[in-house]
Amino acid sequence: QSVLTQPPSASGTPGQRLTISCSGSNSNIGYNPVNWYQQLPGAAPKLLMYSNNQRPSGVPDRFSGSKSGTSASLAISGLQSEDEADYYCAAWDDSLNGMVFGGGTKLTVL
Amino acid sequence: QVTLRESGPALVKPTQTLTLTCTFSGFSLSSSGRCVSWIRQPPGKALEWLARIDWDDAKYYSTSLKTRLTISKDTSKNQVVLTMTNMDPVDTATYYCARNDPGGSWFDPWGQGTLVTVSS
């Protein structure tokens, strides 16, 4: 059971806009920034979004992040087949004094 | 360019101690604010953070695994070592090391990971 809650799966068609949610609590998302990772099949995770809504260099602006209260979201616009991957949210947890992850969302592009 | 690479045994027996080494380049763990973490992922399952070591030797551990983990660093060799005692088949996973941002918040980049199987 992960500390952060994500939907296990999401799907969309090419060109569509889609959002993935991440729900936590005051001890993690409520007071700490949220980061998102993309894990392509068979690969190591890659930083996709940091500090709630900042894109690392090289990440397309089709990806955007937001946070409100104890929840965060990752939005993908103009969905592409290459976006098929697992997506994980993460944040520091002040109560656990450690990093916590969501259970991951498997994105399928139909 | 920052790179990290994990190394260690591919197979360990139950009750044995696992020792993994993360060898990195492109940054120094003696620089103020720098940190390195270990994260694992059982086959088909989610990521799980294990431990972090900071430039000033501060250490943080997963609450659920704290009694079994030890993290250390050798700044002269650019290495971070993780030991996990009393290995069990449920510890079968790909183990990653990753550099943290100076605030310790996000992981970037990650190593390629090393698969450790626990079996007799």
Side-chain angles (χ1 to χ4, degrees):
Chain A
Q1 190 81 359
S2 300
V3 174
L4 304 182
T5 301
Q6 297 179 236
S9 64
S11 63
T13 55
Q16 192 176 1
R17 185 178 188 274
L18 177 148
T19 61
I20 298 172
S21 62
C22 175
S23 178
S25 67
N26 280 328
S27 63
N28 41 67
I29 294 178
Y31 287 102
N32 293 300
V34 176
N35 309 299
W36 292 87
Y37 301 91
Q38 179 192 56
Q39 187 175 32
L40 296 171
K46 182 188 90 167
L47 179 67
L48 187 68
M49 196 74 56
Y50 66 95
S51 293
N52 305 322
N53 56 13
Q54 301 299 301
R55 281 187 310 275
S57 174
V59 173
D61 59 7
R62 302 186 294 105
F63 293 89
S64 62
S66 64
K67 186 181 97 167
S68 178
T70 58
S71 294
S73 293
L74 175 72
I76 310 172
S77 61
L79 205 57
Q80 299 182 4
S81 59
E82 67 209 51
D83 298 333
E84 267 204 359
D86 293 324
Y87 293 84
Y88 293 91
C89 59
W92 186 263
D93 191 293
D94 293 327
S95 296
L96 298 174
N97 207 27
M99 192 69 72
V100 292
F101 283 95
T105 298
K106 184 176 186 64
L107 173 61
T108 302
V109 180
L110 303 170
Chain B
Q1 181 189 7
V2 174
T3 63
L4 304 97
R5 186 183 76 253
E6 307 85 353
S7 59
L11 179 66
V12 297
K13 290 180 166 45
T15 76
Q16 285 187 337
T17 294
L18 171 68
T19 299
L20 294 173
T21 300
C22 174
T23 303
F24 56 86
S25 64
F27 70 98
S28 173
L29 200 43
S30 59
S31 297
S32 178
R34 281 298 170 204
C35 336
V36 170
S37 284
W38 284 94
I39 303 111
R40 72 177 179 179
Q41 184 175 38
K45 296 189 177 181
L47 300 168
E48 178 185 20
W49 175 80
L50 300 176
R52 183 184 109 191
I53 189 164
D54 293 359
W55 65 280
D56 59 357
D57 212 37
K59 299 165 186 175
Y60 303 86
Y61 294 101
S62 163
T63 302
S64 60
L65 293 167
K66 183 171 186 172
T67 60
R68 299 173 54 205
L69 295 173
T70 302
I71 192 169
S72 62
K73 62 181 172 68
D74 186 332
T75 52
S76 65
K77 293 183 179 178
N78 280 352
Q79 291 181 334
V80 172
V81 175
L82 182 76
T83 63
M84 181 179 290
T85 61
N86 195 24
M87 292 293 285
D88 184 271
V90 300
D91 296 313
T92 294
T94 296
Y95 287 76
Y96 298 98
C97 63
R99 186 183 73 165
N100 283 91
D101 69 291
S105 181
W106 61 86
F107 308 114
D108 182 49
W110 297 56
Q112 64 186 19
T114 185
L115 176 62
V116 177
T117 300
V118 184
S119 173
S120 54

